[in-house]
Amino acid sequence: MTMHHKNIKRQVVKKLKEEFPHWNRLKAKEKKEITNKVLNEVVAMYDFNQEIDCGKHELFGIEEQVHNEEILTIDKMNNFIEEHKSNNLLRLIGGNKENPHFACDELFFIDSIIDNQIIDALLSYEGYSPQMRDLFPHHLFRAEMLKTLKYPEISYRKFCTKEYFGMHQKENKCFIGFPLHKNKIIDHTVLSKFRSGLQFHQLVNILVYIICIFRNSGFINDNILYGIDSTDITAVNQRYLAQIEVNGTKIRIYDDLNCDCGKRRNKRDKSYYVIGYRLHTLTAINPESGHSYPLLPLLAPANHHDSLFAHPIISLAKAIGLNIKLVTADEAYHDKDSEIFNDTGASIITPPVKKVNIPEYVDIELKQVFCSKYCSTPMQYLGVYENLHEFKCAAQWGECPFAGSCPQARYIEIDSGHFQRISIFHEQAQEAIDIRKNSERPFNLLKNVYGASQARARSQHGILVQCTFAHAAALLVEMAGTRRKVTPSYTKEQQLPLPMAA
């Protein structure tokens, strides 16, 4: 899909949202009639010779997921936490109290590190007044975290019942902060309004708060390696509304106006296409242990290529204060034009794209570059100069018979193959490429353990909220350390003789 086709869909979606603010209340037949009419009108009036007058974030469907002034940096969040701890009044009023009804060590640990007053401050909105309230933002946030941690497979309607909040569920009630002597239950419509009312800066601030605790616990530091990867998220119950083919390319509109149909990686048990979104996640990878931790999510329509979203997610990470210097990813996230490096200072290293031609007089297996076909002495690599790899002659005086006619220098353009900004000649380049697979591991947790694959929301914002809670849950569980596999170490005295063990 070209930029103009994406712009056509953007205009259609924008017009439908402006003219029909209560889109979800319309019947399916009405939606189809309206969508076909608007789609045909936009295509009939569209000029392919015009310049696209919108930003890339809007064109790629992530216009709401951009950095703004209300998003706190890690340093500001740390100061905010210290100011809160130094306030004796807040500490006396809002301090989390220990409770003997916790049977799960994981919930007990998470309950002890989440500060209710900080959560209320981060999730409050204009006009928020805590007086005469039965439910505070921290109650709703804790309910969402409880569902993500323990009950990701069930629906919200079933979750908000006495089965999970009855008088016998003392641990659940203690975690949320409900009194044990009352039959108090959060209605599922209240949680739905809570999720839909969360703005992007509030979601990011929650993650920044968790990242601060995670970082202060010693799990990540400034010299850690980062990775980017993506996975598909299916949008449930999507009705097909309209389609039109323009210059050989199909433009489709679904019930969820933001989602689209895209290709997924080859999987045996799933179809080749997916209707929904792609979740792009920035992970922190510990090179020593190989553990990877999901930090920031970015949710985009499934029909856009992965290469379009490396820049936005790295820019957001730099804006909140993460010191990103090196990012490892797969071939789709290359920085061929050095745009990401020039804007953020982060270098991306990916496996070489096979379609990129290898420059002349280069021996890839031996990682050697020669000046010409007559040259027998490998050149010395100097580094990158103005987006060019610079090499100089390494021959000693009198060794090269062509020294008088040879330029003794060579420049190779940065590409997405073997000569990326960090070239194959770097000693640790291959190590960074090999460890990139670790950034895929958090997706197994996010999708299968914390319910991201069972996202029941029918909008981009709703799925993004659930994915954000899944990221926060993954970091909290990692700090708790209750789900780590412990391999028993046997000493010689403990180990049975081989015949007896057999």
Side-chain angles (χ1 to χ4, degrees), residues 285-305:
I285 305 174
N286 189 331
E288 297 179 358
S289 64
H291 293 166
S292 51
Y293 318 110
L295 299 182
L296 290 175
L298 191 69
L299 193 68
N303 63 321
H304 297 303
H305 195 265

Side-chain angles (χ1 to χ4, degrees), residues 222-247:
D222 290 337
N223 298 322
I224 205 163
L225 178 67
Y226 292 87
I228 300 178
D229 206 349
S230 66
T231 187
D232 53 85
I233 301 291
T234 304
V236 296
N237 300 331
Q238 287 308 305
R239 289 187 292 265
Y240 176 77
L241 298 181
Q243 173 182 296
I244 192 170
E245 187 171 341
V246 181
N247 298 335

Side-chain angles (χ1 to χ4, degrees), residues 463-479:
I463 296 177
L464 177 63
V465 172
Q466 292 192 10
C467 291
T468 302
F469 289 146
H471 280 66
L475 296 179
L476 291 171
V477 169
E478 185 65 33
M479 283 187 283

Side-chain angles (χ1 to χ4, degrees), residues 140-298:
L140 303 176
F141 172 77
R142 283 173 170 268
E144 291 284 352
M145 294 306 302
L146 178 65
K147 184 183 182 306
T148 303
L149 291 166
K150 294 184 63 176
Y151 315 106
E153 70 283 355
I154 67 174
S155 66
Y156 279 93
R157 190 182 294 271
K158 183 178 180 180
F159 175 65
C160 298
T161 59
K162 291 183 179 179
E163 182 178 356
Y164 301 95
F165 289 101
M167 297 288 287
H168 62 290
Q169 291 287 1
K170 297 185 183 299
E171 185 177 57
N172 291 350
K173 295 172 76 69
C174 288
F175 181 79
I176 294 179
F178 283 170
L180 301 179
H181 63 284
K182 293 183 179 180
N183 277 320
K184 191 171 184 179
I185 299 176
I186 302 177
D187 192 83
H188 70 278
T189 58
V190 176
L191 284 179
S192 177
K193 291 179 181 179
F194 170 70
R195 294 191 304 275
S196 61
L198 291 175
Q199 299 182 21
F200 181 67
H201 74 270
Q202 293 174 320
L203 296 176
V204 177
N205 284 338
I206 286 293
L207 285 178
V208 172
Y209 172 57
I210 303 297
I211 290 173
C212 283
I213 302 175
F214 193 73
R215 187 175 182 177
N216 295 336
S217 301
F219 286 90
I220 58 176
N221 51 50
D222 290 337
N223 298 322
I224 205 163
L225 178 67
Y226 292 87
I228 300 178
D229 206 349
S230 66
T231 187
D232 53 85
I233 301 291
T234 304
V236 296
N237 300 331
Q238 287 308 305
R239 289 187 292 265
Y240 176 77
L241 298 181
Q243 173 182 296
I244 192 170
E245 187 171 341
V246 181
N247 298 335
T249 301
K250 294 180 180 180
I251 301 175
R252 302 178 179 89
I253 307 295
Y254 295 90
D255 192 20
D256 178 6
L257 299 177
N258 294 325
C259 80
D260 213 326
C261 180
K263 296 180 181 179
R264 61 154 52 101
R265 295 184 179 94
N266 294 332
K267 295 185 179 180
R268 297 179 183 177
D269 58 339
K270 295 183 179 180
S271 64
Y272 187 60
Y273 295 95
V274 58
I275 299 175
Y277 301 91
R278 288 199 69 80
L279 175 66
H280 304 267
T281 294
L282 177 75
T283 60
I285 305 174
N286 189 331
E288 297 179 358
S289 64
H291 293 166
S292 51
Y293 318 110
L295 299 182
L296 290 175
L298 191 69

Side-chain angles (χ1 to χ4, degrees), residues 101-112 171 175 476-477 479-483:
H101 296 288
F102 280 105
C104 176
D105 294 337
E106 182 176 279
L107 286 183
F108 176 76
F109 175 82
I110 295 174
D111 173 76
S112 64
E171 185 177 57
F175 181 79
L476 291 171
V477 169
M479 283 187 283
T482 53
R483 303 190 187 184

Side-chain angles (χ1 to χ4, degrees), residues 80 192 434:
F80 180 76
S192 177
D434 293 339

